[in-house]
Amino acid sequence: LEVVQQKHLDAWSVTADAAYAVALFNLESFAQTITVNPRRYDGRPGAWDLIDASRYTLPNGNAFASSAALVLAPEFMTRFRSRIAPSVFFGIPDRGTLVAWSADFDKRKEIYARARQDFERRPHPISPELYVSSAAGLRLATPSERADHGIK
């Protein structure tokens, strides 16, 4: 497994935009195979979901080990939000974990803290940041949203 670099694009005679379009198509195609069934945290209001990518296999038999990449698939995220809330907060602490919750989730500080700990402790860390997905797209949480999650 390698990160695509300019040397690869040159060897393939493709632009970065063309490679991105193919990658996004492949990701969205794979994402269509994933059933979004958010699990409730202790039965409390405000869904959260933990997608375990190890359960999914690509057509070539390779495991797809990056739930985190799913946030880059707009169609998947639209479907994901339709099952949780129009706007969701989420963390991607490592490449195999995507955890998300609605704004009214009463344990939002605790779930973000857990995602932050997972970032610090698990192999293949991705990000300690708090993100928001809505119809407008993907963005970092604002300072007030961060404060609401106990982030200083």
Side-chain angles (χ1 to χ4, degrees):
L1 186 63
E2 281 187 76
V3 173
V4 174
Q5 300 175 3
Q6 187 61 47
K7 66 181 181 181
H8 299 108
L9 299 174
D10 294 343
W12 302 333
S13 299
V14 297
T15 66
D17 288 342
Y20 177 78
V22 169
L24 184 58
F25 175 81
N26 290 338
L27 181 61
E28 288 282 15
S29 296
F30 170 73
Q32 291 299 317
T33 69
I34 298 173
T35 302
V36 178
N37 287 318
R39 291 174 272 171
R40 298 247 173 218
Y41 183 82
D42 294 338
R44 297 172 190 211
W48 67 278
D49 189 34
L50 180 64
I51 297 174
D52 177 4
S54 66
R55 295 180 301 177
Y56 304 103
T57 304
L58 295 173
N60 64 6
N62 293 331
F64 181 78
S66 185
S67 292
L70 293 171
V71 302
L72 302 174
E75 292 174 23
F76 173 80
M77 290 306 292
T78 297
R79 191 163 45 100
F80 188 78
R81 286 191 314 272
S82 75
R83 297 298 306 267
I84 296 179
S87 180
V88 296
F89 291 92
F90 66 93
I92 45 175
D94 62 78
R95 74 178 185 191
T97 305
L98 171 61
V99 59
W101 56 95
S102 59
D104 63 349
F105 182 45
D106 63 346
K107 295 287 187 182
R108 62 189 167 276
K109 289 180 183 177
E110 292 87 345
I111 201 74
Y112 170 76
R114 183 177 131 195
R116 177 68 190 228
Q117 288 172 347
D118 287 349
F119 167 77
E120 294 168 355
R121 295 179 184 161
R122 289 189 176 173
H124 313 294
I126 297 290
S127 176
E129 296 296 331
L130 176 64
Y131 297 92
V132 180
S133 175
S134 69
L138 176 65
R139 65 175 173 81
L140 287 170
T142 65
S144 64
E145 290 167 333
R146 291 172 55 81
D148 188 50
H149 282 80
I151 306 167
K152 296 179 183 185

